[in-house]
Amino acid sequence: MCASKQTDSLTKSLPQRSLQQECYAVLMETNPSQKCRLTAELREHFENNKLTLNHQNAQTITVPGRPEKPELVLPKFLKKRGIAKQSGRNHLMHAIAHIEFNAINLALDAVYRFADQPKEFYRDWLRVASEEAKHFGLICDYLSKHNTQYGDFPV
């Protein structure tokens, strides 16, 4: 009980973080499951008014955080697979997982990049990001049930 009181008082003494600062940290996260968890937390913090809307000096993001795998290749190097077999369905679902992962970053980028928007703008894009994170998680669960993980195949 004493430890939580210390934590609460410590949190209260810290300056309030901005939506932009928190969003940057989530955008640059490279672990997919961590990015999904942090996206949900970011939305919750925003909804609970724990973040300011102070956008200042946005750093240019050329590439958001992504894991080392999956390997990125040109489309011509991807094998064509049907969905009649489970291996083909795994490849298809893996490709969709990759789309969902990128959609998380795209939605967060809109939050990070655009200053001086109405609060509803940020609320909507954070909702989109958290929905994409949920979709990504559901697809990863499917892949896991079929002995595949995100990153097992090139994209």
Side-chain angles (χ1 to χ4, degrees):
M1 182 137 182
C2 292
S4 67
K5 284 185 178 181
Q6 283 181 324
T7 303
D8 290 342
S9 64
L10 178 63
T11 303
K12 289 178 184 176
S13 67
L14 293 174
Q16 193 174 24
R17 303 255 313 157
S18 76
L19 174 61
Q20 185 187 38
Q21 289 169 319
E22 294 295 321
C23 191
Y24 180 82
V26 180
L27 267 167
M28 299 313 291
E29 177 58 51
T30 60
N31 180 293
S33 58
Q34 186 78 335
K35 186 179 290 254
C36 290
R37 185 184 65 74
L38 291 172
T39 297
E41 285 181 13
L42 177 64
R43 182 180 183 197
E44 181 183 327
H45 290 169
F46 179 79
E47 292 295 332
N48 292 321
N49 297 311
K50 293 182 178 178
L51 302 171
T52 68
L53 292 180
N54 185 15
H55 273 62
Q56 293 182 354
N57 304 325
Q59 298 178 39
T60 301
I61 298 175
T62 54
V63 178
R66 58 177 300 287
E68 288 183 28
K69 290 189 172 203
E71 176 187 7
L72 302 179
V73 299
L74 294 173
K76 67 181 180 181
F77 295 120
L78 294 174
K79 294 179 184 177
K80 302 252 188 235
R81 297 186 189 269
I83 58 170
K85 295 182 181 177
Q86 186 60 51
S87 63
R89 292 189 292 272
N90 288 351
H91 275 83
L92 174 64
M93 294 302 286
H94 187 274
I96 295 170
H98 186 64
I99 292 166
E100 296 293 336
F101 183 78
N102 284 300
I104 298 166
N105 285 331
L106 288 170
L108 291 174
D109 184 69
V111 173
Y112 179 75
R113 187 180 306 263
F114 297 104
D116 302 321
Q117 299 301 311
K119 190 171 184 176
E120 293 76 26
F121 174 88
Y122 302 114
R123 179 176 287 117
D124 288 347
W125 280 112
L126 288 170
R127 179 186 50 78
V128 169
S130 64
E131 287 174 0
E132 301 300 351
K134 181 178 178 180
H135 300 159
F136 177 81
L138 291 170
I139 295 168
C140 286
D141 289 346
Y142 172 89
L143 290 171
S144 181
K145 288 177 187 172
H146 294 91
N147 301 313
T148 304
Q149 303 298 317
Y150 179 64
D152 284 354
F153 307 122
V155 294

